[in-house]
Amino acid sequence: QIPMARFDYVGFGPALLDKPKVRRALIRGAEFSEYSRLFGSFSPAGCPSLPSAYMDRVECLTPDFAEAKRAALSAGKPAKLVMKFSKMGGDDIVRAVEWFQGQWKKNLGWPIELSGQEQAVYIRELKDQPPAIFRKGVSLDRPTCLAALEVFSKDNPENYIRLDDARYERLMRAVANSPGLPARRKACREAVAYLLSLDRIIPLGEMYFTILASTRFKGWDLNELNQLDLSRLTGP
């Protein structure tokens, strides 16, 4: 099982930027451990989707139904909320968004509508006018923590949650400038923890490639970007 260099998440768009209690209710009102059991993942939703090796320890969002209900009551029943997603991901993505829909209905009493779209239409909407709630898969262009953090930098065209936070930018630069692996892993964890504290996303947990390989062959390597290195391959 090979950890994947991804940062998949459920995001909250600009329509919910000035509704922190709605976002907090949605985040705290889902039992993430059930998500883990449903999909057989190694870490539940609410945990960073980066490989855990990138951080010196992993900090996750945790459900708090009492807090979620207080936030929901204080916020009042929101106007119609729609969660959008790309149809390209197939049945697993549909099951995932339906799970969130069910959690929010059961724990908050909020009926969230789901809307699947063709990939091209979906990406265009994310760029032009991000939905209030959306699911986004993010494959990294290089196997580093910084590659994930840059997705939410203020000038990144894929920053669909429209995050513009000076402290986050400083923490991101600290990751880039960290001298050595231990300092970089610590800086990564601090930046990810701060991102989660803003209640702008729900990360969907660490993910793995699961592969079947014959033990007769040695010296092969498959990295987090699904790149296979056979330069040292030996076998019968």
Side-chain angles (χ1 to χ4, degrees):
Q1 289 166 330
I2 312 298
M4 299 172 66
R6 298 186 63 86
F7 204 92
D8 293 12
Y9 67 96
V10 170
F12 303 111
L16 294 182
L17 181 58
D18 62 348
K19 296 178 172 58
K21 292 178 181 178
V22 172
R23 300 198 316 270
R24 191 153 189 81
L26 292 169
I27 290 171
R28 299 297 178 188
E31 180 53 79
F32 297 135
S33 61
E34 292 184 9
Y35 183 94
S36 181
R37 288 193 294 270
L38 177 63
F39 291 97
S41 56
F42 283 77
S43 60
C47 293
S49 302
L50 288 169
S52 55
Y54 289 10
M55 295 166 279
D56 59 358
R57 69 174 185 270
V58 177
E59 298 182 9
C60 304
L61 299 172
T62 55
D64 186 330
F65 299 125
E67 182 181 351
K69 288 177 181 177
R70 285 195 299 270
L73 286 171
S74 179
K77 187 174 181 179
K80 178 181 176 181
L81 289 176
V82 180
M83 182 178 187
K84 298 193 176 183
F85 61 97
S86 170
K87 292 180 179 179
M88 190 174 72
D91 291 343
D92 280 349
I93 302 303
V94 174
R95 288 169 61 218
V97 296
E98 288 178 344
W99 180 86
F100 276 102
Q101 180 190 46
Q103 288 286 302
W104 292 328
K105 176 64 175 177
K106 179 177 70 173
N107 298 321
L108 302 176
W110 288 354
I112 309 297
E113 183 180 326
L114 301 180
S115 175
Q117 298 175 309
E118 297 301 326
Q119 176 73 354
V121 174
Y122 181 61
I123 294 300
R124 184 165 63 248
E125 182 170 351
L126 287 176
K127 291 179 178 178
D128 295 341
Q129 189 174 2
I133 311 172
F134 60 93
R135 188 218 180 268
K136 184 68 177 70
V138 180
S139 56
L140 307 186
D141 59 5
R142 58 195 191 281
T144 66
C145 175
L146 186 61
L149 297 175
E150 287 173 346
V151 171
F152 305 102
S153 63
K154 63 180 181 180
D155 296 324
N156 193 306
E158 294 188 13
N159 177 15
Y160 301 130
I161 63 172
R162 300 294 191 262
L163 183 65
D164 185 355
D165 186 283
R167 182 180 174 189
Y168 180 74
E169 298 293 324
R170 290 195 299 271
L171 289 169
M172 188 173 60
R173 288 194 295 271
V175 175
N177 298 326
S178 295
L181 182 59
R184 190 158 56 248
R185 293 176 71 234
K186 179 176 182 290
C188 176
R189 185 252 306 163
E190 291 175 345
V192 171
Y194 179 70
L195 174 63
L196 300 190
S197 76
L198 298 175
D199 292 339
R200 302 290 298 277
I201 67 167
I202 302 174
L204 297 180
E206 188 174 1
M207 303 174 190
Y208 289 76
F209 295 114
T210 300
I211 62 173
L212 181 65
S214 171
T215 56
R216 296 180 300 161
F217 295 94
K218 309 292 182 183
W220 60 272
D221 180 66
L222 184 65
N223 71 9
E224 303 100 307
L225 297 178
N226 203 23
Q227 296 169 333
L228 182 62
D229 181 0
L230 299 177
S231 60
R232 298 181 181 180
L233 181 68
T234 60

